[in-house]
Amino acid sequence: MPKIGIGYDIHRLEAGRRLVLGGLDIPFSAGLFGHSDGDALVHAVMDALLGALGESDIGAHFPDTDPQYKGARSIGLLDEVVGLVRERGGEIANVDAVIVAEEPKMGPHIPAMKAALAPVLGIPASSIGIKAKTNEGLGAVGEKRAIACYAVVLIELPD
Ligand code: MG
């Protein structure tokens, strides 16, 4: 049975923080604020997977009030969510995502993001789409105060 899921996340940019996106450290003057490492791309993918399973969102699974998730590497949390898919006998078919960021340029980092996500998702990099867009200067993202990410996934579950 094919199941799709959608995920969205946005995090504020804070000067001097490390920027982690798609499981990568990206050199930049600001990073994403959050209880975990703030990896909005991985959070969007996690929510898409949980949505395809009919589960509640990552806030319910990994509460930001729980000290064990303070500074957590989001890619490790993604691994736990992929484990949930596997427990249900599910297989991930593909993931497609959009990063909306005014800065820095994401294009050069996309191949490495796919390479970081592929082994965790258990799918080839060719089954992962990541596009980078700006917000044309509009709103909080356009004003470089935040980075937003969208993701959709398709998983196959047993009937
Ligand atoms: Mg988040």
Side-chain angles (χ1 to χ4, degrees):
M1 182 74 106
K3 300 274 190 178
I4 63 165
I6 183 170
Y8 167 78
D9 199 20
I10 185 166
H11 280 245
R12 278 182 284 126
L13 275 166
E14 191 177 87
R17 210 176 143 94
R18 67 192 259 259
L19 176 59
V20 182
L21 213 51
L24 293 190
D25 267 85
I26 296 173
F28 191 50
S29 56
L32 295 175
F33 181 79
H35 187 67
S36 67
D37 60 12
D39 191 331
L41 176 58
V42 166
H43 295 175
V45 171
M46 289 166 67
D47 259 349
L49 288 167
L50 289 166
L53 290 175
E55 285 280 335
S56 48
D57 67 16
I58 57 172
H61 284 266
F62 308 102
D64 64 8
T65 49
D66 188 332
Q68 73 169 302
Y69 301 122
K70 185 164 170 53
R73 289 177 65 247
S74 297
I75 202 109
L77 305 180
L78 174 61
D79 193 49
E80 290 188 36
V81 171
V82 172
L84 273 181
V85 176
R86 300 251 165 77
E87 273 172 31
R88 307 266 182 98
E91 292 284 343
I92 299 168
N94 76 304
V95 172
D96 193 19
V98 181
I99 302 167
V100 192
E102 219 65 17
E103 285 184 337
K105 283 231 178 302
M106 294 293 168
H109 302 291
I110 287 176
M113 286 181 192
K114 291 183 181 182
L117 294 174
V120 183
L121 293 166
I123 57 176
S126 58
S127 295
I128 302 173
I130 302 175
K131 285 88 62 194
K133 316 277 290 181
T134 72
N135 217 34
E136 293 286 329
L138 298 166
V141 172
E143 290 163 5
K144 306 171 191 175
R145 291 189 284 121
I147 290 177
C149 296
Y150 300 81
V152 292
V153 304
L154 183 72
I155 64 176
E156 301 280 350
L157 286 176
D159 290 330

